[in-house]
Amino acid sequence: MKLLIKNGLVVDPADKIESKIDIAVNNGKIVKKGKALKLSGAKTIDAKGLVVMPGFVEMHAHFREPGFEYKETIETGSLAAAKGGYTSVCCMPNTNPVIDTQAMVEFIKLKSKQVGIIDVLPIGTITKGGEGKEISAIGELYKAGAVAISDDGACVINSEVLRRALEYSKMFDMPVIEHCEDNDLSADGMMHEGYYSTLLGLRGIPAAAEETMIARDIILARETGGRIHIAHVSTAGSVELIKWAKGSGVKVTAEAAPHHFSLDDSSLQGYDSNFKMKPPLRSAEDVKAVKKALKDGTIDVIATDHAPHAELDKKVEFMYAAFGIIGLETAFPVIVTNLINTNVLTLSQAVAKITINPSSILKLKAGTLSDGADADITIADLNAKEKITKEFFASKSINSPFIGSELSGKIEMTIKKGRVVYRAGM
């Protein structure tokens, strides 16, 4: 299909473009950008008043399949991603069975191809079975198509095991994505340890549970020369550690989730389990630190940590409720509302953190509107406001803390390789 996207504000941080130009698409590729373009036989999309961006790249999501299809499947996760403007999503390996073999990597890739909505890219485990005891066959995972390794959902507590994984992954220039949590410090915790945990009578998870493991991981990355990526950064102390490591030449990158720069621990006063996640919502001071780190580049990426749970996992007593929330559909509106509209980030800076930055870390051919690139394109209305309801979501689960919120920034259309895979109201 030929497409001609006209009259929109094109924002492509990879090529340092932010201007009103047209984009021509043919055979799933971007063939030309410029003013007053014409393309014979093309379907015209009028993007007047809208922003045209590269398709978003998500480097941290849980699609649950195989093993937990009652929470999410690759198909429903892909639909949610497309509605959120994402055209490439990396799925974490804590499925059942976990993604620790060549066969499991190939299963995810095949299922993604069968669904045919977006690219679902598998992340393999750091350790066999995700048990933290023995490193996976990292070379086989890489050759099968894994884009990174992670035991997300759990931290690799054994320092020797993580050290060997960092050394081994260097052979393939793969990032090791770490969920940093000292289990002894966080044990039985349900929310951030502080004023509100005391007020609510809930056992807290101290900031040190995250920070001690980040410090350890940075030291091991410095020792080995491996690439470490810190998932879902949530505390001011974590930010300072990562900033120091970058200044010292350690190969470290980091991500923050939308809920960690838009919500704080005061949100849990209603004991709503949709505000229960790991790492937990932190203090208002931590939220400010995360925003500052996004602004100064200490945090490279915004990743959703999309973690679907069925109602039976969430609608129980708070202490028994599962950790995690969905985030793909609301990520861009939360970014617009809390970062762009408040002048924390410019539009181009924000777009970079969900396109070219994650793509560069994972070495993907995505996140850009360069000529010859796949026509993965997201079109959004920054000024449109939308009330988030339970009916808003395409995900199989609705465990979102943003239900009831009015957010700015609406995805109008998502295009994958020249094919419209989501249109508002479709």
Side-chain angles (χ1 to χ4, degrees), residues 10-37:
V10 175
V11 178
D12 182 9
D15 282 349
K16 295 180 173 58
I17 295 173
E18 187 171 342
S19 61
K20 289 186 178 181
I21 55 176
D22 302 336
I23 299 177
V25 173
N26 192 14
N27 292 325
K29 301 286 185 180
I30 293 172
V31 293
K32 195 173 183 180
K33 297 186 295 294
K35 293 186 179 292
L37 290 185

Side-chain angles (χ1 to χ4, degrees), residues 182-193:
D182 185 316
N183 297 333
D184 293 318
L185 288 172
S186 67
D188 299 323
M190 289 173 272
M191 65 175 292
H192 174 61
E193 183 179 278

Side-chain angles (χ1 to χ4, degrees), residues 351-398:
V351 172
K353 292 184 188 294
I354 52 175
T355 57
I356 192 59
N357 289 7
S359 182
S360 296
I361 291 168
L362 297 168
K363 299 190 178 302
L364 306 178
K365 294 180 179 179
T368 178
L369 299 175
S370 298
D371 291 354
D374 284 346
D376 294 355
I377 302 168
T378 297
I379 303 174
D381 185 345
L382 298 187
N383 297 314
K385 293 185 177 181
E386 191 162 16
K387 183 78 172 285
I388 307 302
T389 65
K390 292 181 179 180
E391 293 71 35
F392 169 81
F393 298 99
S395 171
K396 201 169 189 177
S397 298
I398 56 171

Side-chain angles (χ1 to χ4, degrees), residues 1-8 22-25 36-48 379 413 415 420 423:
M1 179 183 290
K2 295 180 179 180
L3 293 176
L4 192 58
I5 303 171
K6 299 184 70 68
N7 305 318
D22 302 336
I23 299 177
V25 173
L37 290 185
K38 294 182 180 180
L39 184 62
S40 178
K43 178 183 177 181
T44 299
I45 296 172
D46 186 1
K48 185 176 181 180
I379 303 174
M413 185 176 292
I415 298 167
V420 176
R423 182 187 294 109

Side-chain angles (χ1 to χ4, degrees), residues 287-319:
V287 172
K288 290 177 184 177
V290 170
K291 285 183 177 181
K292 184 178 178 182
L294 285 163
K295 187 179 184 70
D296 67 23
T298 301
I299 296 177
D300 310 86
V301 170
I302 296 171
T304 69
D305 193 9
H306 178 81
H309 288 295
E311 283 195 315
L312 61 90
D313 300 308
K314 280 289 193 178
K315 286 204 170 181
V316 294
E317 293 94 332
F318 192 89
M319 68 181 296

Side-chain angles (χ1 to χ4, degrees), residues 207-334:
E210 176 175 313
E211 294 161 4
T212 53
M213 300 313 292
I214 288 180
R216 190 244 1 214
D217 288 1
I218 286 169
I219 291 167
L220 291 177
R222 182 181 62 179
E223 173 76 16
T224 62
R227 289 208 288 139
I228 193 82
H229 178 82
I230 309 300
H232 40 52
V233 173
S234 70
T235 79
S238 297
V239 166
E240 289 305 309
L241 288 165
I242 294 164
K243 190 171 185 177
W244 173 85
K246 287 190 169 190
S248 301
V250 179
K251 295 177 181 176
V252 59
T253 52
E255 70 188 45
H259 45 277
H260 285 132
F261 60 73
S262 60
L263 301 169
D264 62 40
D265 57 345
S266 66
S267 302
L268 282 97
Q269 292 180 82
Y271 294 95
D272 184 345
S273 63
N274 283 335
F275 292 87
K276 183 182 180 183
M277 71 282 290
K278 276 192 177 180
L281 297 177
R282 301 291 188 180
S283 70
E285 291 72 22
D286 290 312
V287 172
K288 290 177 184 177
V290 170
K291 285 183 177 181
K292 184 178 178 182
L294 285 163
K295 187 179 184 70
D296 67 23
T298 301
I299 296 177
D300 310 86
V301 170
I302 296 171
T304 69
D305 193 9
H306 178 81
H309 288 295
E311 283 195 315
L312 61 90
D313 300 308
K314 280 289 193 178
K315 286 204 170 181
V316 294
E317 293 94 332
F318 192 89
M319 68 181 296
Y320 298 117
F323 290 95
I325 63 169
I326 57 173
L328 285 168
E329 292 115 314
T330 54
F332 187 70
V334 171

